[in-house]
């Protein structure tokens, strides 16, 4: 079995399945839709579900409500266009970003973008002395996903507004530029452009610094001893033509690196770890060529 054949190296297929979401993007879309439908079906008059989740610009002085600095991102306005556009952007761009960073890290990125956006909005509202306002919607986190997509896949072609084909980097620039222009020239709008810009700034900082929240989470792998990596090598009739197996040290290092990819995403690898994988892959290919009849 080669390096790319291992179960934890293979990326999960994007999308939703009848058996339930198999990706973090699918899970987030499902949660947002469930909250939206619960509000529309069970509390259509007072929108109680939305009011529980949404954030208020005065909550900075109410620490017992700070959890709303994140939950607001799972509440949306009653008109379906709000949740539809947010989930559409997450659906089309989120899967590739998740595949780059891994499921757990993608969730951390998403929640962190929500938190950064709401804090920027609440602080700005307090400094400007604006009247108390409500904040709801996943737009800040989705904007962060758009920017991360543009930074990781700048030359991929996207349809801007589903009509105009252009490279992803240009789509990212236009999205941020439109939000910036709107924040300056339409301050009376009920759209929280500050949240969008904060999400974009967070994504840029995350990408440029190479940060990874997974490194801040203590690993539990040391609690259990991992078995040594063994690579299956078919038997041949000519025993003299067999080549040496991969060394135990290299095999163990490859095993650790692949487990790290599964846990933290491919972007978390260092240059040394990438070279180790390339070296192991070359050894495997040489061994396969040597085993041929």
């Amino acid at each position: 079995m080669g390096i790319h054949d291992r179960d934890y190296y293979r990326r999960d297929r994007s999308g939703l399945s009848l058996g339930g979401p198999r990706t973090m993007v699918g899970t987030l879309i499902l949660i947002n839709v469930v909250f939206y439908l619960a509000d529309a079906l069970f509390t259509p008059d007072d929108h109680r579900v939305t009011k529980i989740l949404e954030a208020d610009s005065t909550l900075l002085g109410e620490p017992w409500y700070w959890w709303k600095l994140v939950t607001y991102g799972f509440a949306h306005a009653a008109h379906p266009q709000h949740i539809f556009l947010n989930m559409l952007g997450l659906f089309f761009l989120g899967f590739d970003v998740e595949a780059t960073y891994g499921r757990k890290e993608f969730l951390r990125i998403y929640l962190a973008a929500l938190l950064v956006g709401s804090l920027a909005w609440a602080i700005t509202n307090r400094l400007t002395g604006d009247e108390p306002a409500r904040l709801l919607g996943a737009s800040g986190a989705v904007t962060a996903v758009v920017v991360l997509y543009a930074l990781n896949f700048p030359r991929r072609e996207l349809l801007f507004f589903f009509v105009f084909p252009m490279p992803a980097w240009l789509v990212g620039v236009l999205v941020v530029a439109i939000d910036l222009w709107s924040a300056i020239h339409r301050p009376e709008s009920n759209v929280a452009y500050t949240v969008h810009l904060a999400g974009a700034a967070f994504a840029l900082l995350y990408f440029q610094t190479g940060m990874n929240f997974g490194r801040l989470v203590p690993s539990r792998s040391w609690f259990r001893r991992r078995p040594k990596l063994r690579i299956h090598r078919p038997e041949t009739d000519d025993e003299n033509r067999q080549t040496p197996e991969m060394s135990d040290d290299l095999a163990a290092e490859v095993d650790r690196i692949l487990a790290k990819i599964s846990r933290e995403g491919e972007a978390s690898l260092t240059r040394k770890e990438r070279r180790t994988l390339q070296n192991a892959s070359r050894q495997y290919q040489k061994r396969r060529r040597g085993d041929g009849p």
Side-chain angles (χ1 to χ4, degrees), residues 191-207:
V191 177
Y193 294 110
T194 302
V195 178
H196 299 185
L197 293 172
F202 163 75
L204 179 61
L205 178 66
Y206 182 93
F207 180 83

Side-chain angles (χ1 to χ4, degrees), residues 73-84:
F74 298 93
H76 288 83
H79 55 83
Q81 179 182 1
H82 190 207
I83 187 173
F84 176 75

Side-chain angles (χ1 to χ4, degrees), residues 11-12 22-25 28 94-110 206 212 214 260-268:
R11 292 171 175 169
D12 292 336
R22 298 180 58 185
T23 64
M24 189 56 67
V25 169
L28 290 170
F95 292 116
D96 284 331
V97 176
E98 177 182 339
T100 300
Y101 295 103
R103 284 179 292 183
K104 292 182 180 180
E105 183 65 8
F106 181 84
L107 177 61
R108 298 183 191 110
I109 294 170
Y110 191 89
Y206 182 93
N212 189 296
K260 180 180 179 181
I261 293 176
S262 176
R263 185 175 65 253
E264 301 178 15
E266 184 180 342
S268 67

Side-chain angles (χ1 to χ4, degrees), residues 151-224:
L151 291 170
N152 281 284
F153 314 105
R155 299 190 181 280
R156 287 191 183 176
E157 187 175 274
L158 298 175
L159 291 178
F160 191 55
F161 290 128
F162 303 100
V163 177
F164 308 104
M166 58 183 64
W169 70 265
L170 183 56
V171 172
V173 169
L174 289 177
V175 167
V176 175
I178 291 173
D179 282 331
L180 182 59
W181 184 92
S182 301
I184 296 173
H185 297 283
R186 299 177 58 192
E188 73 287 349
S189 173
N190 62 352
V191 177
Y193 294 110
T194 302
V195 178
H196 299 185
L197 293 172
F202 163 75
L204 179 61
L205 178 66
Y206 182 93
F207 180 83
Q208 291 295 339
T209 60
M211 70 172 69
N212 189 296
F213 294 119
R215 300 190 187 113
L216 304 178
V217 180
S219 173
R220 291 183 289 181
S221 60
W222 60 275
F223 282 106
R224 55 186 182 274

Side-chain angles (χ1 to χ4, degrees), residues 28-181:
L28 290 170
I29 291 175
L30 179 61
I31 293 173
N32 277 276
V33 171
V34 166
F35 279 130
Y36 179 81
L37 292 178
D39 190 70
L41 297 176
F42 301 114
T43 60
D45 297 327
D46 58 359
H47 299 291
R48 194 178 314 157
V49 174
T50 295
K51 289 180 179 178
I52 291 174
L53 299 174
E54 68 185 13
D56 189 285
S57 58
T58 62
L59 60 73
L60 285 180
E62 303 171 332
W64 50 90
Y65 284 131
W66 283 356
W67 51 272
K68 292 192 173 192
L69 291 170
V70 172
T71 60
Y72 78 93
F74 298 93
H76 288 83
H79 55 83
Q81 179 182 1
H82 190 207
I83 187 173
F84 176 75
L85 292 178
N86 278 336
M87 296 303 102
L88 196 65
L90 184 59
F91 179 82
F92 279 114
L93 303 181
F95 292 116
D96 284 331
V97 176
E98 177 182 339
T100 300
Y101 295 103
R103 284 179 292 183
K104 292 182 180 180
E105 183 65 8
F106 181 84
L107 177 61
R108 298 183 191 110
I109 294 170
Y110 191 89
L111 296 179
L114 290 178
L115 179 60
V116 170
S118 60
L119 284 174
W121 172 80
I123 293 173
T124 301
N125 189 278
R126 171 167 289 191
L127 293 177
T128 56
D130 292 340
E131 296 181 358
R134 300 160 50 227
L135 177 65
L136 67 162
S139 302
V142 174
T143 301
V145 171
V146 172
V147 172
L148 281 176
Y149 186 97
L151 291 170
N152 281 284
F153 314 105
R155 299 190 181 280
R156 287 191 183 176
E157 187 175 274
L158 298 175
L159 291 178
F160 191 55
F161 290 128
F162 303 100
V163 177
F164 308 104
M166 58 183 64
W169 70 265
L170 183 56
V171 172
V173 169
L174 289 177
V175 167
V176 175
I178 291 173
D179 282 331
L180 182 59
W181 184 92

